[in-house]
Amino acid sequence: WSSMEGRFRPHKFRHYQHNTMDHNDWMTSEHDMGTTIIAVEFNGGVVMGADSRTSTGNYVANRVSDKITAIHDKIFVCRSGSAADTQAISDFVTYYLDMHSIELGEPPLVNTAANLVQQMIYQNKDNLMASMICAGWDKTLGGQVYCIPLGGVRVRQPFSIGGSGSTYIYGYCDAHFKEGMTKEEALAFVRNSLALAMARDGSSGGVIRTVVISEGGIEREMVPGDHLPRFLPEL
């Protein structure tokens, strides 16, 4: 990262004025990732998870969108907020990380990626609606999870949740999280948390997508909507 110091200039996003007359019209509303996203550290790496519902106003525009985006080989982001804004941030950070890794001759640190995401969001906070979780594995600190909410603060946490559905599962996550989980325990924690949020939050739904990131590589899985964990008959 030091090799880029003084030369990195975060991209400035242009501000577009929305027509308030059409704000509630699903034909003209921007795609919004009313969402539940989560990431958790475990012994050996991290598990990231998200639902798959993308909405345009009250209309579900995509039932199976992928909100977990790779920005480098072992670094991913979970995206919530405006789909367009978070996709643009992911693309810019991917570009900067590729250039940085070429200069270093080795993969970038997760902290470096999280710092880039933070700068993008913070320096454009008046124009963007983006809240993201950056997580991954590197040889220096192993598995790491960084929360970067609206406004652009960056905090490392053992687990992080975000999106509209997260408000329903803070109690569950606080009660069931424990340090030093195995990969299987972390996957179960992520899937159960997402299933509960999807059952309560009208803006979350579809399938559950998970990504396990460790020294050994990447493991992607998907749980269909009819195979989600169930806790009560009505949920």
Side-chain angles (χ1 to χ4, degrees):
W1 177 242
S2 60
S3 63
M4 294 179 67
E5 192 170 348
R7 287 186 284 158
F8 171 67
R9 294 292 183 270
H11 185 83
K12 286 291 185 180
F13 290 81
R14 293 179 60 191
H15 177 69
Y16 293 94
Q17 183 67 38
H18 292 286
N19 186 343
T20 55
M21 294 293 292
D22 294 329
H23 183 70
N24 294 321
D25 187 346
W26 67 271
M27 290 291 290
T28 56
S29 295
E30 67 175 343
H31 283 202
D32 177 48
M33 309 211 11
T35 289
T36 306
I37 54 176
I38 183 172
V40 58
E41 299 176 3
F42 70 90
N43 283 338
V46 298
V47 176
M48 306 178 75
D51 74 308
S52 65
R53 178 172 293 176
T54 297
S55 56
T56 304
N58 292 324
Y59 175 76
V60 177
N62 190 345
R63 296 182 298 167
V64 289
S65 58
D66 189 355
K67 303 176 185 180
I68 310 175
T69 302
I71 55 175
H72 208 267
D73 293 345
K74 293 183 180 179
I75 308 174
F76 284 68
V77 290
C78 287
R79 302 179 292 111
S80 67
S82 166
D85 291 351
T86 55
Q87 286 171 356
I89 292 170
S90 300
D91 289 344
F92 279 113
V93 172
T94 299
Y95 169 78
Y96 287 127
L97 286 179
D98 284 344
M99 298 300 294
H100 180 48
S101 64
I102 291 172
E103 290 184 348
L104 289 180
E106 61 183 18
L109 300 178
V110 181
N111 183 47
T112 300
N115 197 24
L116 284 170
V117 174
Q118 177 201 16
Q119 289 191 49
M120 287 283 183
I121 294 176
Y122 177 76
Q123 298 199 20
N124 298 279
K125 58 181 177 290
D126 294 332
N127 301 326
L128 298 179
M129 186 174 68
S131 175
M132 305 173 78
I133 299 173
C134 181
W137 184 93
D138 61 48
K139 64 181 182 180
T140 302
L141 295 176
Q144 300 148 72
V145 172
Y146 295 90
C147 174
I148 306 143
L150 293 169
V153 68
R154 175 174 58 92
V155 182
R156 183 178 177 184
Q157 297 177 308
F159 78 93
S160 180
I161 57 178
S164 58
S166 66
T167 57
Y168 298 91
I169 57 171
Y170 275 99
Y172 177 86
C173 291
D174 288 341
H176 289 82
F177 172 78
K178 61 180 181 180
E179 298 279 356
M181 287 191 286
T182 65
K183 182 179 77 172
E184 291 72 22
E185 289 173 331
L187 272 169
F189 174 77
V190 166
R191 288 170 179 163
N192 290 341
S193 300
L194 287 171
L196 284 168
M198 291 161 67
R200 296 291 189 187
D201 178 34
S203 296
S204 301
V207 304
I208 289 177
R209 299 187 187 277
T210 59
V211 175
V212 179
I213 310 168
S214 64
E215 184 177 8
I218 308 300
E219 301 172 37
R220 273 189 174 269
E221 294 183 23
M222 185 270 290
V223 181
D226 58 349
H227 287 76
L228 300 180
R230 295 190 180 275
F231 298 88
L232 294 171
E234 65 271 20
L235 298 180

